Amino acid sequence: MILVTGGTGLVGAHLLLHLTEKGENVRATYRNLSTTEKTKSLFKLHQKEVLFQKIDWVKADILDIPSLEIAFENITTVYHCAAHISFDPKEEILLRKVNIEGTANIVNFCIDKKVKKLCYVSSIAALGDLTQNENIITEDTEWNPEIYHSDYAISKYGAEMEVWRGFQEGLGVVIVNPGIILGSTIWDTGSGVIFGKVKNGLSFYTKGQTGHVSVTDVVIAMTQLMESAISGERFTLVAEHFTYEKIIKIIARKTGSKPPKFYVKPWITAIAWRLDWFIATFLGTKRNLSKFAAQSIHTIDWYSNEKIKNTLNFEFQPIEKVVEDIVNLEKK
């Protein structure tokens, strides 16, 4: 049986859809029963409600050992998708606890229960840092601990270290490092937030650049890697690179929304994150813009996808087509 942690998140839910379509015997974890409704809505969007009923749902928390004991009964392979995503500096401890300690627990159970193989969903945030003579980030780019990283990036990098520990102890592992994942807007995180803001009339943009990928491509790559003999490798999953300006305007065009008009320069976001810190500190509100986020939306990054393409002869979907498909699916 296959175990999917984080079955109520964007990647986990699409992975469950993909696995059940293939006729796999699947168990998925959830923390709150109400969150499974988002996964159910995804199956309904694809007219696959009958497959949703075939999932063996288990209430479990990756930080709760007794619940994991139940979740791991008769499991042969594991897709670890559960994670905490936040760029709020106030959540540093929670990020490290969930993403690092939680992953350590999953790895330990995989070893103890003699699981054949583990796939861990990391992030491009956990990839290395370019030196002065480099211009594109690959799976082999070294992490520089002296460079400032977001707490989220540190937590995902730390989680990867736990996975590599498992590999050294004999566990079969693969790691995927997706860029910004585009998928159904049912989720109020990640690309779901981007789609929502654009449809509501996002008026500004920046010219920073990063890699984007379809959630469908992510889950297909994951399953192909797990079904292969490959182990002890990580793979960057990025289809195309777009500036934030371009991806926002593509979404606006496909959704029939007004495109943003105002370019926000770096000095403006530098002021904005300081104001955000001041308000959050003295009013106790949640941070909306951290220093790292304010800087990253102006940074131009390039990621190589050659390894996954050469290893699996993998072909990514064009991002503009991905956005169009997302919009058309949710119009049904």
Side-chain angles (χ1 to χ4, degrees):
M1 177 177 279
I2 297 171
L3 175 64
V4 176
T5 69
T8 59
L10 177 65
V11 174
H14 281 82
L15 177 60
L16 289 172
L17 177 62
H18 183 65
L19 291 172
T20 53
E21 285 178 329
K22 294 177 60 172
E24 300 285 3
N25 192 13
V26 183
R27 178 178 295 152
T29 65
Y30 70 90
R31 288 190 300 161
N32 300 304
L33 186 60
S34 60
T35 59
T36 63
E37 290 300 315
K38 290 183 178 180
T39 304
K40 188 175 182 179
S41 296
L42 175 68
F43 278 67
K44 187 176 181 180
L45 270 178
H46 289 268
Q47 300 180 340
K48 302 286 185 177
E49 296 100 316
V50 65
L51 294 179
F52 180 81
Q53 303 303 323
K54 295 184 177 182
I55 301 170
D56 178 20
W57 287 99
V58 174
K59 185 175 182 180
D61 189 316
I62 61 175
L63 296 175
D64 181 60
I65 302 301
S67 68
L68 288 178
E69 189 73 45
I70 298 171
F72 268 84
E73 289 181 1
N74 302 315
I75 294 300
T76 56
T77 55
V78 176
Y79 291 88
H80 181 32
C81 308
H84 183 63
I85 303 173
S86 174
F87 294 93
D88 186 344
K90 292 181 179 179
E91 298 191 355
E92 176 188 0
I93 295 176
L94 180 61
L95 279 165
R96 295 188 184 223
K97 189 170 185 63
V98 174
N99 295 347
I100 301 177
E101 182 182 327
T103 300
N105 290 338
I106 294 298
V107 169
N108 291 340
F109 266 95
C110 285
I111 294 170
D112 183 61
K113 300 297 183 180
K114 294 179 171 52
V115 167
K116 295 178 181 178
K117 199 170 182 179
L118 165 69
C119 177
Y120 175 59
V121 183
S122 186
S123 166
I124 54 172
L127 294 174
D129 307 287
L130 296 176
T131 62
Q132 189 173 8
N133 298 321
E134 297 174 320
N135 54 27
I136 188 165
I137 299 171
T138 73
E139 293 82 356
D140 297 323
T141 302
E142 292 188 11
W143 174 278
N144 185 348
E146 296 183 2
I147 291 179
Y148 176 71
H149 299 89
S150 70
D151 295 321
Y152 173 70
I154 293 170
S155 73
K156 297 299 277 188
Y157 177 78
E160 286 193 16
M161 294 303 101
E162 294 296 336
V163 175
W164 295 131
R165 172 180 63 81
F167 176 65
Q168 291 173 349
E169 295 184 32
L171 175 65
V173 304
V174 288
I175 295 175
V176 293
N177 298 79
I180 293 181
I181 303 173
L182 300 176
S184 171
T185 62
I186 295 169
W187 284 264
D188 54 3
T189 58
S191 63
V193 174
I194 299 173
F195 276 80
K197 287 185 176 181
V198 173
K199 286 190 283 188
N200 289 331
L202 184 64
S203 58
F204 60 86
Y205 62 89
T206 62
K207 295 184 178 181
Q209 174 184 280
T210 191
H212 297 75
V213 64
S214 161
V215 67
T216 303
D217 283 343
V218 173
V219 300
I220 290 175
M222 289 167 64
T223 53
Q224 288 185 6
L225 288 168
M226 287 291 276
E227 291 167 0
S228 73
I230 298 167
S231 183
E233 299 284 349
R234 73 202 297 217
F235 295 86
T236 302
L237 304 183
V238 166
E240 294 181 86
H241 295 81
F242 284 116
T243 62
Y244 294 105
E245 174 187 13
K246 185 172 182 179
I247 192 66
I248 290 171
K249 288 184 176 179
I250 289 174
I251 294 173
R253 185 169 69 253
K254 298 299 182 181
T255 58
S257 307
K258 292 183 178 180
K261 296 181 179 179
F262 305 106
Y263 167 51
V264 178
K265 296 181 179 181
W267 68 266
I268 297 177
T269 51
I271 294 174
W273 77 257
R274 288 175 170 83
L275 287 175
D276 183 69
W277 171 86
F278 181 85
I279 293 171
T281 300
F282 290 95
L283 297 183
T285 57
K286 185 178 178 64
R287 291 290 301 275
N288 293 309
L289 183 66
S290 67
K291 177 182 178 180
F292 182 85
Q295 294 174 344
S296 66
I297 57 178
H298 295 284
T299 302
I300 295 177
D301 291 317
W302 292 96
Y303 300 91
S304 172
N305 61 9
E306 290 301 309
K307 184 175 181 179
I308 189 73
K309 288 168 68 176
N310 293 335
T311 301
L312 297 179
N313 195 25
F314 197 88
E315 293 186 8
F316 289 96
Q317 300 176 70
I319 292 301
E320 188 158 350
K321 178 65 164 52
V322 170
V323 173
E324 183 177 329
D325 288 344
I326 292 170
V327 173
N328 289 339
L329 178 63
E330 297 185 2
K331 285 180 179 178
K332 292 183 179 180

